[in-house]
Amino acid sequence: MNKGHKKLHIKTFGCQMNVYDSERMVEALAPAGYDVTEAMDDADLVILNTCHIREKAAEKVYSELGRVRRSKEARKVRGSGTMVAVAGCVAQAEGEEMIARAPIVDIVVGPQSLHRIADLVAKAESGERLVETEFPVDEKFAALPQRASGKRPVSAFVTVQEGCDKFCTFCVVPYTRGAEYSRSASEIIAEVERLASTGVREVTLLGQNVNAYHGVGEDGTTWSLARLLRRLAEVPAIARMRFTTSHPRDMDDDLIALFGNEEKLMPYLHLPFQAGSDRILAAMNRKHTADEYERLIERIRAARPDIALSTDIIVGFPGETDADFQDTLVLAKRLGFAQAFSFKYSARPGTPGASLDRQISEMVKKERLSILQTQLEKSRREFDRAMVGRRIPVLFEGKGRKPGQIAGRSPYLQPVYLDGSERLIGHIAEVDILAAGPNSLTGVMNAGLEWHEPIRAAI
Ligand code: SAH
Ligand code: SF4
Ligand code: F3S
């Protein structure tokens, strides 16, 4: 093994699953001697881990490949070679086409084949250009190295479920990530225990449809996400748990109840509703109505009244009228989201939505998005402002922006900054919130209590 001999630059686009996948690729390439570098110009291997969800996201890959090409040319002058790999969802969607369109690309590897990255890199060294877009998902997690050494961050992602069978008519995920697949509970528990032993205090379980989780449990029966979370709560060093992204159709009673009775499960839920009009929801194939979504939120709030709700919304789906858009605005306002991500509909090749009549003009989409975002921003600021004067437990994750400052997260996922010792990183302490800024909260340590180390999040 020749560790540190070669440099790897990896750039990640898209969702948290790609962030997780990038970490796993770094781990898989370490035995081949690759160390991560932040500077593309130093890299022997550049990986772009890409996203195909909207047109803009996919275009970014080709503009980034332009940068990679310039870097590769500059390195060539200095006598160094650069291998280029494109991973992720654009790689999956384009496959061979990408090799034809971008001559500098050596490897195209889809999300379900990334465990093969080290082999592919070794093979490509002979100059061969390779495309690997199979879906051997059963192998993938087993073939990846166990996550272990090195100081890990305080908060880590763990993919528990992949793929999607829901086929919302706007979405590429079922095509790029394949059918739904859940990892076994024992594999996940082992990964979380290993992360905990390296200093991780918070885990966020990931899946395109995380609450559809149905993996083999330790006892051989099928476990739900709630059952898995209850088991992970037994790992002593893990103080906080979160999960994302959920689908309204899969929020079962057990999972809702868990928000009220498992104190390690943080009061934050990302639950996309996409649109407030039943006609549009039906055309999107979301399989729920606006009213069903609202009743669901009521049940969740009954279990956990202080929960921070987050959502995704699309404006300008084909056929969306002004009245449909008003329904979205009214519902979003009534529900008062603590956080929201909103997008202009982007027609994705191969999805049913792309061939629907009555596509909405860019101008109308832009206008609707701006109106919606102004309103969502107001709700978010209101939620943040309601924290001022409260004492909340903060998990410290790193240094702050200013000297002497440390940064952490509230249970509601808000960034919190305050003056304090770096010794607090990795610990939870009570913080009195003094102010709410545009994107974060500031506070002071609970007077007289420099720091303490609760085993369980004290909420
Ligand atoms: N699995 C998640 C969503 C994954 S994609 C879920 O089911 O909710 C993240 C978000 O991107 C979606 O919730 C949706 O709001 C948005 N999105 C997906 N496809 C899109 C498209 N074609 N145009 C615009 N936004 C889209
Ligand atoms: Fe896409 Fe719908 Fe599946 Fe979410 S549930 S990943 S939006 S198809
Ligand atoms: Fe993008 Fe693929 Fe994630 S399309 S949002 S990187 S699943």
Side-chain angles (χ1 to χ4, degrees):
M1 217 184 284
N2 205 354
K3 193 149 169 54
H5 178 61
K6 287 176 265 179
K7 298 274 182 223
L8 159 67
H9 178 76
I10 185 160
K11 187 153 180 184
T12 309
F13 304 84
C15 65
Q16 289 146 333
M17 310 211 47
N18 263 11
V19 175
Y20 176 87
D21 286 351
S22 287
E23 269 187 40
R24 303 307 307 262
M25 282 191 276
V26 168
E27 288 163 357
L29 285 162
Y34 283 96
D35 266 354
V36 172
T37 173
E38 296 302 316
M40 188 192 286
D41 290 347
D42 292 343
D44 304 285
L45 170 61
V46 175
I47 302 181
L48 303 182
N49 196 9
T50 62
C51 173
H52 201 236
I53 200 80
R54 284 168 291 274
E55 196 180 352
K56 272 222 173 84
E59 276 168 5
K60 273 190 202 149
V61 181
Y62 287 98
S63 61
E64 192 62 25
L65 278 172
R67 270 191 62 200
V68 178
R69 183 171 44 77
R70 288 190 291 279
S71 168
K72 183 172 176 154
E73 282 161 5
R75 279 173 58 83
K76 200 173 170 189
V77 173
R78 304 203 305 263
S80 310
T82 314
M83 193 184 290
V84 181
V86 177
C89 293
V90 177
Q92 186 65 44
E94 299 205 353
E96 296 283 351
E97 218 176 291
M98 174 150 256
I99 287 278
R101 192 171 156 189
I104 65 155
V105 175
D106 300 293
I107 299 169
V108 175
V109 54
Q112 306 307 352
S113 309
L114 59 85
H115 55 291
R116 306 232 174 101
I117 187 73
D119 284 349
L120 293 170
V121 167
K123 267 199 204 151
E125 264 156 17
S126 65
E128 200 183 340
R129 299 176 79 201
L130 304 157
V131 178
E132 184 72 71
T133 50
E134 295 300 304
F135 279 105
V137 80
D138 290 343
E139 280 171 39
K140 170 174 156 180
F141 291 101
L144 284 165
Q146 296 199 336
R147 310 180 78 182
S149 58
K151 180 87 184 122
R152 301 204 71 85
V154 171
S155 180
F157 294 134
V158 176
T159 294
V160 302
Q161 180 273 340
E162 280 225 66
C164 182
D165 298 333
K166 295 245 177 353
F167 291 94
C168 300
T169 54
F170 52 81
C171 184
V172 292
V173 170
Y175 312 96
T176 61
R177 295 266 171 177
E180 220 171 282
Y181 166 85
S182 296
R183 296 175 72 187
S184 75
S186 46
E187 208 177 293
I188 297 162
I189 295 159
E191 187 166 325
V192 170
E193 280 173 345
R194 270 194 302 276
L195 289 170
S197 72
T198 64
V200 168
R201 304 296 315 274
E202 174 181 89
V203 285
T204 302
L205 306 187
L206 298 181
Q208 265 91 14
N209 254 285
V210 71
N211 57 344
Y213 177 83
H214 58 282
V216 181
E218 282 174 311
D219 54 6
T221 65
T222 301
W223 282 13
S224 65
L225 183 66
R227 181 74 191 79
L228 177 68
L229 284 161
R230 272 201 299 275
R231 172 63 183 81
L232 293 175
E234 290 170 18
V235 179
I238 298 299
R240 291 183 166 190
M241 303 185 300
R242 305 179 187 274
F243 58 89
T244 199
T245 291
S246 299
H247 192 288
R249 294 272 300 179
D250 298 316
M251 280 309 292
D252 64 34
D253 290 343
D254 209 15
L255 189 58
I256 294 173
L258 208 64
F259 278 107
N261 60 35
E262 176 47 67
E263 56 186 359
K264 288 189 181 185
L265 181 60
M266 290 296 99
Y268 185 99
L269 177 66
H270 182 64
L271 196 64
F273 81 84
Q274 314 294 3
S277 143
D278 288 346
R279 212 172 52 79
I280 296 297
L281 283 168
M284 286 176 162
N285 193 31
R286 290 292 289 181
K287 298 197 173 79
H288 63 79
T289 62
D291 190 58
E292 280 162 354
Y293 183 86
E294 197 165 355
R295 300 285 87 79
L296 177 59
I297 296 297
E298 279 168 11
R299 281 161 57 214
I300 296 163
R301 282 191 163 140
R304 184 76 206 223
D306 66 334
I307 198 159
L309 289 169
S310 163
T311 200
D312 290 341
I313 303 170
I314 296 175
V315 300
F317 186 80
E320 185 188 72
T321 61
D322 277 333
D324 293 324
F325 173 62
Q326 285 304 321
D327 288 345
T328 299
L329 266 184
V330 168
L331 185 62
K333 187 167 187 179
R334 201 159 55 226
L335 294 176
F337 290 99
Q339 179 68 271
F341 304 89
S342 48
F343 313 99
K344 288 183 286 189
Y345 170 71
S346 168
R348 309 306 294 124
T351 61
S355 50
L356 287 176
D357 292 339
R358 297 170 63 208
Q359 299 282 331
I360 305 298
S361 76
E362 191 56 28
M363 204 184 75
V364 170
K365 283 194 238 182
K366 209 170 149 190
E367 193 183 325
R368 288 181 185 165
L369 187 66
S370 147
I371 295 168
L372 177 64
Q373 287 186 336
T374 307
Q375 183 191 292
L376 291 169
E377 181 61 9
K378 226 171 125 208
S379 292
R380 190 179 68 79
R381 296 291 293 267
E382 265 167 37
F383 187 87
D384 284 357
R385 265 198 301 272
M387 297 289 136
V388 177
R390 283 185 58 189
R391 175 169 295 173
I392 52 178
V394 172
L395 171 61
F396 293 100
E397 297 181 358
K399 287 191 220 170
R401 290 174 287 208
K402 297 181 194 146
Q405 220 183 31
I406 48 171
R409 294 260 179 191
S410 76
Y412 314 102
L413 211 58
Q414 297 137 310
V416 182
Y417 291 91
L418 66 149
D419 290 333
S421 157
E422 277 177 37
R423 282 190 308 141
L424 277 160
I425 294 168
H427 299 281
I428 294 169
E430 300 281 331
V431 172
D432 291 326
I433 301 301
L434 300 178
N439 297 302
S440 61
L441 306 175
T442 48
V444 287
M445 201 70 70
N446 176 9
L449 214 175
E450 217 242 309
W451 67 282
H452 70 265
E453 169 57 323
I455 293 295
R456 303 165 77 82
I459 305 169

